[in-house]
Amino acid sequence: MNRNLKQSCRTGSSWVGIVLTVAASAGAGLGFAAWWAMSQTSYVPDFYERAKLQTPAKVAEASRRLETDVQQLQDDAARRGTWRAAFSDDEINAWLIQELPTKFPKLLAKGASEPRVLIGDDRILAAVRYKDRHFDTIISCEVTAELTEEPNMLAIRVRNLRAGALPLPLHQFIKGISKEAASGGVDIRWDMTDDGPVALVAVPSEHPAYAHKPVIVESVKLIDGQLLLAGHTGPEARDAYKPRGSIHRFVSYRVADNRNCSPSRSASKQTMEVTR
C-alpha cells in the first residue's frame, strides 16, 4: 500500500508538473504574443517618413495653392466643354496640416493626427498617427481609384490596411467608414468583390452655381506625386460618357439605369442598392 501510495503521489505530482509547465508555457507564449503585437504596432512605414520629409517648408502657402487649384477646377468645370486639373501630394499634405485642426476636429478628438499621403503610379499611400492611452501607432493603407460604368461614380479600393505592421481586416471598419463619410456629406456604397470590399463614391454632377450641367469626370490618374483629373461639362456629357483608363466592373452592386432621368437629379441621389 505504501509503495502504491508513493507511486500514486509521484504520478500525481508529475501530472501537476505537466499542467503547471503547460500553463507557464502558455502564459509565456501569450506574453510574447502581446509583446510582439505591441512591437509590430510601433512600426512606421517608410513612405510615411518620406511623406513627412517632403512636406513643404511654407505650409500655409502650399495649402492656399491647393485651394486656388480647387477653385480653378470649379470655375473650369462650370463652363461647357472639356476641363482638367492637377493636384500634388505636397499641396495635399500641406492642406491637411493646415486644415485638420479646424475642419476635422472629431478626428483629433479620437486620437488621429499628422495625416500624410504619398502619390505613386496608380496608387495613393495614406497614413495617420493614432494615439490613445494604450496605443501609439501609424494606421496606413494603399488606395487605388477607378472610374466605373456609371458616370461620376468612383470605385475606391483600400488595400493593406495596417496598424504599424499588423494587418487590419477592412470588413470590420465598413460601417465606421460609411458613418464618418456620411457625417461629412459623402455617400459611400460598397461593392463586395472576391478581392474585398470596394467603396463606391458618387461625385455630384450638378451644383446651383453651375451655368452648365452636368459635370462628368472622364479620367482619374495617379502619376508619381500628382492626382490628375479630366472631364466634360454640358448637356451631352452624360450620354457621351466614355471613361478613360481602367474601369471597375460591378460585382454585388446594382444600379438602376438613370441616364434618361431628369438632369436636375445629382448622381448622389440616383436610385441605388447593394445586393447582399
Side-chain angles (χ1 to χ4, degrees):
M1 290 291 294
N2 291 336
R3 182 181 302 173
N4 292 337
L5 179 61
K6 290 180 180 179
Q7 184 176 0
S8 176
C9 289
R10 285 197 297 270
T11 302
S13 61
S14 65
W15 278 109
V16 170
I18 291 172
V19 170
L20 291 176
T21 300
V22 171
S25 299
L30 289 174
F32 176 78
W35 170 83
W36 180 82
M38 290 299 295
S39 68
Q40 292 296 294
T41 60
S42 64
Y43 170 78
V44 179
D46 290 340
F47 84 85
Y48 184 71
E49 295 289 1
R50 294 201 309 271
K52 291 182 70 174
L53 292 174
Q54 289 179 359
T55 299
K58 298 181 179 179
V59 171
E61 179 182 341
S63 177
R64 285 194 299 270
R65 197 160 58 243
L66 177 66
E67 293 180 342
T68 299
D69 291 342
V70 170
Q71 184 59 54
Q72 184 63 54
L73 170 60
Q74 292 176 340
D75 293 343
D76 292 343
R79 292 190 289 266
R80 187 168 179 171
T82 59
W83 50 264
R84 58 181 53 85
F87 306 97
S88 73
D89 51 14
D90 279 348
E91 292 174 347
I92 294 171
N93 283 325
W95 186 87
L96 288 171
I97 294 170
Q98 187 82 3
E99 301 297 332
L100 181 68
T102 57
K103 296 195 170 154
F104 303 97
K106 290 184 179 179
L107 290 177
L108 287 176
K110 292 179 179 179
S113 64
E114 300 182 302
R116 295 292 188 276
V117 299
L118 188 69
I119 300 177
D121 289 338
D122 299 324
R123 65 176 182 167
I124 298 176
L125 299 176
V128 62
R129 179 174 293 279
Y130 174 77
K131 185 177 182 179
D132 63 9
R133 290 182 302 172
H134 306 290
F135 292 98
D136 183 358
T137 187
I138 304 298
I139 305 295
S140 63
C141 64
E142 177 183 320
V143 179
T144 59
E146 292 179 305
L147 295 174
T148 69
E149 57 201 75
E150 184 67 15
N152 278 23
M153 180 172 284
L154 297 180
I156 309 296
R157 187 185 295 275
V158 178
R159 293 188 175 96
N160 297 326
L161 181 63
R162 297 176 182 275
L166 282 180
L168 298 176
L170 180 61
H171 288 83
Q172 295 186 7
F173 299 93
I174 285 179
K175 288 185 178 179
I177 293 172
S178 298
K179 183 178 179 181
E180 290 297 328
S183 67
V186 178
D187 182 28
I188 293 182
R189 305 301 173 92
W190 296 91
D191 192 21
M192 302 304 174
T193 73
D194 291 339
D195 295 329
V198 176
L200 302 176
V201 182
V203 179
S205 60
E206 302 175 11
H207 189 278
Y210 291 169
H212 301 282
K213 53 192 176 184
V215 177
I216 302 297
V217 180
E218 296 178 330
S219 174
V220 177
K221 291 183 179 180
L222 299 170
I223 301 176
D224 195 22
Q226 286 195 316
L227 165 62
L228 306 178
L229 301 174
H232 194 90
T233 299
E236 73 286 352
R238 187 179 296 278
D239 291 334
Y241 173 63
K242 291 182 179 179
R244 301 193 292 272
S246 60
I247 302 174
H248 172 74
R249 303 294 181 184
F250 299 135
V251 178
S252 69
Y253 181 81
R254 300 293 180 267
V255 58
D257 186 3
N258 294 302
R259 296 193 182 189
N260 295 323
C261 292
S262 170
S264 62
R265 297 183 65 188
S266 68
S268 61
K269 297 296 183 182
Q270 293 174 350
T271 303
M272 303 173 185
E273 67 178 69
V274 176
T275 302
R276 296 186 181 278

